[in-house]
Amino acid sequence: MRVKDKPFGVFGGSYLPESLMPTVLKLKKAYYEAKDDPEFNYELKTLLQKYSGRQTPLYLAKNLTEIVGGAKIYLKREDLNHTGSHKINNVLGQLLLAKRMGFTKVMAETGAGQHGVATATGAALFSMECTVFMGKEDIERQRLNVKRMRLLGAKVVEVTSGSMTLKDATNEAIRSWSACAQDTFYCIGSVVGPSPYPEMVQHFQSVIGRECKAQYLEEEGKHPKAIVACVGGGSNAAGIFDSYIIEEDVELFGAEAGGEGLNTSFHGAAINKGRIGVIQGMKTYVLQDEAGNIQPAYSISAGLDYPGVGPLHAKLHESGRACYEAITDDEAKNAFLVLTKAEGIIPALESAHALALGMKVAKRYEREDGIVVLLSGRGDKDVDRI
């Protein structure tokens, strides 16, 4: 078993009640043993290929490139995964681990609903009892995904505290986990929470970056100039960045939720406007007031209105390896419509943030260059928001 104690430097860690420490230590041991087990990895690879439908395409968006100008824009199509987003990569890994550890019950939190749908799907596949915590506000704006979860057999628990969004759903899930950790596996959906969740989710999502790197090399014979992905907690970005962090000639860009603008209090830009603090079991950048109280986040995109960010992104920001820029609601909606009409692809609003930033980044390069924008999910759930 190989365990890296501080994969994110001063960020990350396990800031939890004493009662949960044995649970996360047991999980860490089980995860690192499974990670190096060929049989576990073969079973996961088979599920990703035969059940989820990997590998996902790397698509040259010629029409969008002509409209934007500058570098060629490639799209990594995680929206074509089974269940419609990158979330299924991580869920299949975590639930396979849960099965290996002997769990028959699983719980999760969700914002946009894509992680909830993926968890409910995995639970059905592995015959597990499933409970999903979701804020009342998100239930209202993501009704399609709530219906999908219930059809798959999951119990959806409505959270009515705080801003009734992802942060509050996660708080309630952690409280519930404290009482049921002995028989229930907590499947966290992003690169957030106490160790080992951030490194574990990054690992299960790293398949995106490995595929993209090989596909782009085959297509262009070199690396792209830049990789662009949206960042709430940041699991899709962590997945595609994973293979490129060592490639210093490739620029990494994360699109944060700029909401109604960084000069207002209505945004979710934890890196651009937050400070270092502790949230939900980890040290990272957090939106907070002068007294250290966590401030509510806002975004038109349910998956991005989270007041913190995964510790990997805090580390990449501190080191200057990645650049995080804010995209407003209006910029994301415009990118949503441009891609839909230009390429016949309807992106999730989360992905539309990455696309809007990608359209800016592409203009900084020449036509012989190329960039990759990660489409983390499809936009069926968001058409009523446009």
Side-chain angles (χ1 to χ4, degrees):
M1 180 180 71
R2 293 181 287 107
V3 179
K4 191 173 182 180
D5 288 335
K6 294 184 177 179
F8 310 117
V10 300
F11 301 104
S14 297
Y15 297 84
L16 284 172
E18 282 297 318
S19 60
L20 279 174
M21 289 308 295
T23 299
V24 296
L25 290 173
K26 181 181 176 183
L27 173 61
K28 180 176 285 192
K29 182 175 184 296
Y31 161 61
Y32 279 97
E33 286 177 349
K35 181 172 176 287
D36 293 331
D37 183 343
E39 186 176 339
F40 177 87
N41 288 321
Y42 175 78
E43 192 171 358
L44 177 57
K45 182 179 179 182
T46 301
L47 281 171
L48 290 172
Q49 291 176 341
K50 306 294 185 183
Y51 185 72
S52 179
R54 300 204 73 87
Q55 57 182 355
T56 60
L58 180 68
Y59 169 70
L60 173 57
K62 293 180 181 176
N63 296 337
L64 181 65
T65 298
E66 288 300 318
I67 291 170
V68 174
K72 289 175 279 189
I73 300 175
Y74 282 85
L75 306 175
K76 180 59 174 165
R77 298 290 309 276
E78 290 298 291
D79 57 313
L80 295 180
N81 271 316
H82 178 46
T83 73
S85 80
H86 71 294
K87 295 292 187 182
I88 193 71
N89 305 324
N90 166 54
V91 164
L92 290 176
Q94 286 201 49
L95 293 199
L96 197 59
L97 180 61
K99 176 185 167 189
R100 177 185 172 107
M101 295 175 71
F103 287 102
T104 57
K105 297 180 181 178
V106 61
M107 56 178 287
E109 82 298 320
T110 194
Q114 294 291 51
H115 176 56
V117 169
T119 305
T121 299
L125 175 66
F126 290 114
S127 301
M128 291 179 170
E129 187 178 311
C130 181
T131 302
V132 179
F133 292 84
M134 190 170 189
K136 182 179 180 181
E137 171 72 17
D138 290 337
I139 286 176
E140 289 294 323
R141 56 181 172 173
Q142 300 295 342
R143 283 173 289 181
L144 174 61
N145 278 339
V146 174
K147 189 169 186 177
R148 293 170 73 194
M149 283 183 263
R150 288 175 172 152
L151 282 171
L152 288 160
K155 176 185 177 184
V156 180
V157 177
E158 180 180 281
V159 176
T160 57
S161 58
S163 58
M164 298 183 285
T165 57
L166 178 58
K167 171 183 70 69
D168 310 291
T170 304
N171 282 340
E172 194 59 37
I174 291 175
R175 272 194 291 272
S176 177
W177 188 35
S178 298
C180 65
Q182 286 188 332
D183 68 353
T184 303
F185 186 95
Y186 185 11
C187 184
I188 291 183
S190 193
V191 285
V192 300
S195 179
Y197 281 102
E199 54 264 43
M200 181 167 65
V201 177
Q202 179 185 343
H203 173 69
F204 288 140
Q205 293 291 3
S206 65
V207 63
I208 305 172
R210 289 196 302 277
E211 277 183 11
C212 182
K213 197 172 189 178
Q215 290 169 323
Y216 196 93
L217 280 169
E218 183 177 358
E219 192 78 25
E220 293 282 348
K222 58 185 179 181
H223 294 311
K225 287 291 185 181
I227 301 291
V228 188
C230 66
V231 175
S235 64
N236 78 100
I240 195 167
F241 285 0
D242 188 82
S243 287
Y244 289 101
I245 290 172
I246 60 171
E247 307 293 348
E248 295 187 355
D249 57 333
V250 180
E251 293 194 273
L252 305 178
F253 291 94
E256 287 199 298
E260 296 182 4
L262 295 186
N263 294 326
T264 75
S265 58
F266 297 97
H267 60 76
I271 290 180
N272 276 284
K273 300 296 284 187
R275 293 182 289 117
I276 296 174
V278 173
I279 181 173
Q280 294 171 338
M282 62 178 174
K283 179 184 286 187
T284 186
Y285 279 88
V286 184
L287 295 175
Q288 53 192 304
D289 62 21
E290 291 301 318
N293 299 307
I294 294 171
Q295 292 184 309
Y298 162 79
S299 172
I300 190 175
S301 165
L304 299 184
D305 60 356
Y306 182 67
V309 66
L312 168 71
H313 297 294
K315 178 184 176 183
L316 295 177
H317 167 69
E318 282 274 302
S319 68
R321 179 64 189 92
C323 178
Y324 297 85
E325 300 184 22
I327 294 297
T328 66
D329 289 352
D330 287 344
E331 289 174 320
K333 285 192 288 186
N334 177 63
F336 180 106
L337 294 172
V338 169
L339 183 67
T340 299
K341 291 176 180 174
E343 299 284 353
I345 298 171
I346 302 176
L349 276 172
E350 291 82 4
S351 309
H353 283 70
L355 188 66
L357 179 55
M359 290 160 66
K360 294 181 181 180
V361 169
K363 294 177 181 175
R364 303 171 190 172
Y365 296 102
E366 303 298 326
R367 180 51 57 95
E368 63 267 24
D369 299 325
I371 69 166
V372 177
V373 176
L374 177 53
L375 287 193
S376 55
R378 69 187 188 209
D380 316 36
K381 64 187 180 60
D382 293 321
V383 293
D384 290 338
R385 304 282 297 175
I386 300 299

